[in-house]
Amino acid sequence: VFDRSSANSPRSSSCVAFACASLTPAHAQTAAYVISDSTTGFILEQSGGAKKLQVASLTKIAMAMVVLDWAAAKKADLGQPATIPSNAAQLGAAQGVGFQPGDQCSLRDLLYAALMQSDNVAAEALADHIGRELGRDGEMSPVDAFVAQMNALARQLGMIRTRFVNPHGLDNLERTVPYSTAEDLAKL
């Protein structure tokens, strides 16, 4: 895991809230939530905060943190191009920008697409590109090496009830289901 100590700069007291919700036709029901002080981590209010739930695209927050930590540690330029990998076609283009395998885009633009458009293909491309540097020993795929870094970040932050299995949060493609808790996500 990359050193995050420089990212912990003093800031004014503020709150961070994370919720996992399930939608019903009539209204949204929150399955769990946590409201915490972002400076101290003190939990101000919660309901079901320790309950393991699927977190879907909230996974992309950890993905983005690994990308930014990697870029800071390697002094990498986020303007460098990355190629959309061929395995990204399996993710479909139901949402997002519409990247196709073979397209090239800067890491910065992929990061924006993943976070702002919830683009799963962009998240996969970032993981593939950066994972190639992280997993140079060849024992695991680039995406698996990247996801291992996401899980190492979770452990470093004390997220003891979290497991990431891919960089985008889609769970219908996986044998094991990714999960986290509202308490853990507040730490992220």
Side-chain angles (χ1 to χ4, degrees):
V1 177
F2 305 106
D3 180 20
R4 300 196 48 74
S5 58
S6 61
N8 296 331
S9 60
R11 20 180 190 174
S12 61
S13 181
S14 58
C15 293
V16 176
F18 282 98
C20 300
S22 60
L23 298 177
T24 62
H27 61 287
Q29 296 177 337
T30 304
Y33 71 89
V34 165
I35 301 172
S36 66
D37 183 294
S38 66
T39 304
T40 66
F42 181 76
I43 295 176
L44 303 168
E45 186 176 334
Q46 71 172 314
S47 174
K51 182 179 178 184
K52 288 182 182 178
L53 298 166
Q54 295 173 355
V55 291
S57 283
L58 290 174
T59 300
K60 292 180 181 92
I61 299 169
M63 178 275 309
M65 290 181 71
V66 170
V67 169
L68 295 172
D69 287 349
W70 168 82
K74 299 293 182 181
K75 297 183 180 17
D77 178 13
L78 291 177
Q80 68 179 280
T83 302
I84 306 299
S86 59
N87 65 334
Q90 72 180 354
L91 301 175
Q95 65 190 41
V97 177
F99 293 118
Q100 298 297 316
D103 288 350
Q104 288 208 331
C105 191
S106 74
L107 297 179
R108 178 179 294 104
D109 288 342
L110 287 170
L111 194 56
Y112 287 145
L115 293 173
M116 303 301 287
Q117 295 287 325
S118 195
D119 193 306
N120 299 321
V121 172
E124 184 83 7
L126 285 163
D128 182 74
H129 183 83
I130 293 166
R132 290 185 188 284
E133 288 199 23
L134 296 174
R136 290 188 180 207
D137 59 10
E139 289 186 24
M140 55 176 66
S141 75
V143 173
D144 288 342
F146 186 89
V147 172
Q149 200 65 30
M150 291 171 61
N151 284 308
L153 171 66
R155 285 190 306 278
Q156 179 188 29
L157 295 174
M159 298 169 66
I160 59 173
R161 287 180 235 95
T162 296
R163 178 178 60 199
F164 298 113
V165 297
N166 60 47
H168 41 70
L170 287 177
D171 54 17
N172 61 337
L173 303 173
E174 306 295 336
R175 281 186 281 209
T176 58
V177 178
Y179 59 83
S180 190
T181 66
E183 285 177 357
D184 278 2
L185 289 174
K187 295 173 184 175
L188 187 60

